[in-house]
Amino acid sequence: MRILVFTNTPAHVHLYRHAVARLEERGHEVCVLGREAGCTTDLLEFYGMPYRTYGEHVPETASRLEFGTALASQFARIARATLEFQPDVVFGRGPYAAAAGTLARAPTVLVLDDEPTDFNHTISRPFADTILSPSVTRRDLGDAHYTFDGFVECASLHPEVFDPDSTVHEYLGIDADEPYAILRFNALEALHDAGLEGFTPSQRRDLIDRLGERLTVFVSDEGGTLDLADLPARPYDLHPALIHDAMAGASLLVADTGTMVTEAGLLGTPALRYRGTDDHVYGEFQELERQGLVEQFDTYAEVRDRALALAGDGTAADRWQRRREAYVTDLVNLTNLLVDVAEARGSVDRLDPSSRRVVRPRSVVSR
């Protein structure tokens, strides 16, 4: 079989990397179409995935002309790659996957989470043969929509597929028993981030100053605008493929972005999310809050005070790990499901009984 996979962001690389490797091991031909967005191509290279690039991420600051020109160029490259590859099934999300599946007349599988915008869903839903999402997703996308108990991040972070690198402290240049925090500051340039505000520059500096008095602080600044020269922190500068190992070894993660908070929670690392002006209700965060793995805050003072309390709590890491073991182990290993759906040519009805049991129609999931 020939399987086409879209990786529009770094998170999508992690979503599909184990499935791609396993499908290739089973003799299938896989083509990954990636977009230059953040560290996407760095990850594709690191994991040796068979990829081509179809374009670059267009920031929200681009003009309509720039956006339209870039979009037309991307769709043209996707069309050429799709016609050359002739896939039997397409995996992705949004208009890119929908266009490729339609052009190739191949079943299209969308793997979605509870993102705030309707654009991707509205454009792609009519062309999808199968839609997969976590059971906590709040949308009902019709008869083709199936859910599973877990998160899209379970494809790379389920205990069956993720084994943290115990030498990550060495890579970070700190002692093996030295506690550290990771602060992740969002650039807020994605389509779903339009109009949102996270930590202000002064709040970032204040948080670093205060946390730096209690433990070692590493800063991952997506926008690259924060000067750490006079602050008690170091830039997080490991290869992006090591971020999950670094999060697994951290005593605390604080962020104004969603994906890394979800990932840290699933790894059993105390994870705090500052909502800022984001008032969208995400099913994933609600579930992780119920499990005691993630905490969310509406004001800077609240997230700051909670971060300082956890930084001084020597028992917090053990509590979070116990919660993780009690909850995450029983979630669906999404990599297994993706491989099974690919080999069933995108059809849930063709899955064998054991695989079919882990998905259910969204319409029967209680809201």
Side-chain angles (χ1 to χ4, degrees):
M1 283 179 58
R2 291 184 298 276
I3 300 141
L4 181 63
V5 175
F6 281 86
T7 58
N8 305 330
T9 69
H12 300 161
V13 179
H14 292 300
L15 169 60
Y16 291 111
R17 64 185 180 89
H18 291 297
V20 167
R22 197 176 302 175
L23 288 165
E24 288 189 308
E25 290 172 359
R26 296 187 179 188
H28 302 294
E29 188 176 354
V30 183
C31 176
V32 178
L33 288 182
R35 180 174 62 179
E36 293 275 5
C39 57
T40 302
T41 54
D42 291 333
L43 291 172
L44 291 168
E45 287 281 352
F46 183 89
Y47 295 120
M49 297 173 71
Y51 80 95
R52 310 179 193 180
T53 56
Y54 66 82
E56 298 182 359
H57 167 68
V58 183
E60 286 300 307
T61 54
S63 68
R64 290 185 177 180
L65 177 60
E66 290 172 327
F67 185 82
T69 301
L71 202 63
S73 174
Q74 290 176 12
F75 275 110
R77 291 175 183 171
I78 288 169
R80 285 195 298 271
T82 301
L83 291 173
E84 289 174 8
F85 186 63
Q86 287 296 306
D88 296 302
V89 61
V90 176
F91 281 81
R93 65 189 298 160
Y96 299 116
T102 301
L103 191 61
R105 297 183 180 180
T108 302
V109 181
L110 307 180
V111 184
L112 308 176
D113 53 15
D114 214 357
E115 69 173 41
T117 62
D118 291 321
F119 176 76
N120 282 331
H121 303 315
T122 301
I123 294 296
S124 58
R125 173 183 171 182
F127 304 95
D129 296 89
T130 299
I131 301 172
L132 299 174
S133 78
S135 57
V136 296
T137 301
R138 295 159 52 252
R139 287 182 173 87
D140 183 344
L141 298 175
D143 294 340
H145 186 184
Y146 295 85
T147 68
F148 57 91
D149 289 335
F151 301 79
V152 294
E153 291 81 6
C154 286
S156 59
L157 298 181
H158 192 279
E160 293 176 357
V161 296
F162 180 74
D163 186 18
D165 189 335
S166 60
T167 64
V168 71
H169 285 72
E170 181 180 339
Y171 301 146
L172 290 168
I174 59 178
D175 294 336
D177 59 351
E178 186 173 342
Y180 64 92
I182 297 176
L183 307 185
R184 171 67 166 179
F185 298 134
N186 199 344
L188 298 171
E189 292 181 342
L191 176 65
H192 56 259
D193 293 326
L196 298 183
E197 295 178 3
F199 289 111
T200 67
S202 62
Q203 289 170 346
R204 295 180 181 193
R205 296 179 66 86
D206 181 62
L207 184 60
I208 292 169
D209 268 329
R210 292 171 182 263
L211 277 178
E213 296 174 355
R214 291 166 169 78
L215 74 178
T216 301
V217 175
F218 291 94
V219 175
S220 173
D221 179 24
E222 188 179 27
T225 60
L226 182 61
D227 184 1
L228 299 176
D230 61 342
L231 293 171
R234 311 179 195 182
Y236 176 83
D237 57 4
L238 299 186
H239 190 283
L242 296 174
I243 186 59
H244 296 139
D245 302 288
M247 282 195 289
S251 299
L252 174 67
L253 178 124
V254 185
D256 54 4
T257 181
T259 299
M260 284 182 62
V261 172
T262 301
E263 292 169 338
L266 292 172
L267 289 167
T269 297
L272 309 183
R273 176 178 178 251
Y274 175 46
R275 291 190 182 97
T277 58
D278 187 358
D279 59 1
H280 180 74
V281 178
Y282 299 84
E284 288 89 346
F285 289 132
Q286 287 185 321
E287 174 63 11
L288 290 170
E289 280 189 302
R290 282 193 292 268
Q291 301 301 327
L293 293 169
V294 161
E295 297 177 14
Q296 299 188 88
F297 301 90
D298 292 323
T299 70
Y300 170 66
E302 289 175 319
V303 71
R304 176 200 64 205
D305 292 348
R306 182 56 172 156
L308 294 175
L310 288 172
D313 184 348
T315 66
D318 288 339
R319 294 200 306 274
W320 255 260
Q321 281 299 321
R322 288 195 296 271
R323 294 168 189 167
R324 181 205 184 223
E325 291 170 6
Y327 176 64
V328 178
T329 303
D330 292 332
L331 298 179
V332 170
N333 179 339
L334 183 55
T335 288
N336 291 343
L337 178 59
L338 293 176
V339 171
D340 291 343
V341 171
E343 293 190 324
R345 294 181 180 266
S347 172
V348 169
D349 291 336
R350 293 197 188 102
L351 292 174
D352 64 50
S354 62
S355 300
R356 184 67 178 80
R357 280 195 293 270
V358 306
V359 295
R360 54 191 178 275
R362 177 66 181 88
S363 58
V364 304
V365 178
S366 59
R367 296 179 175 81

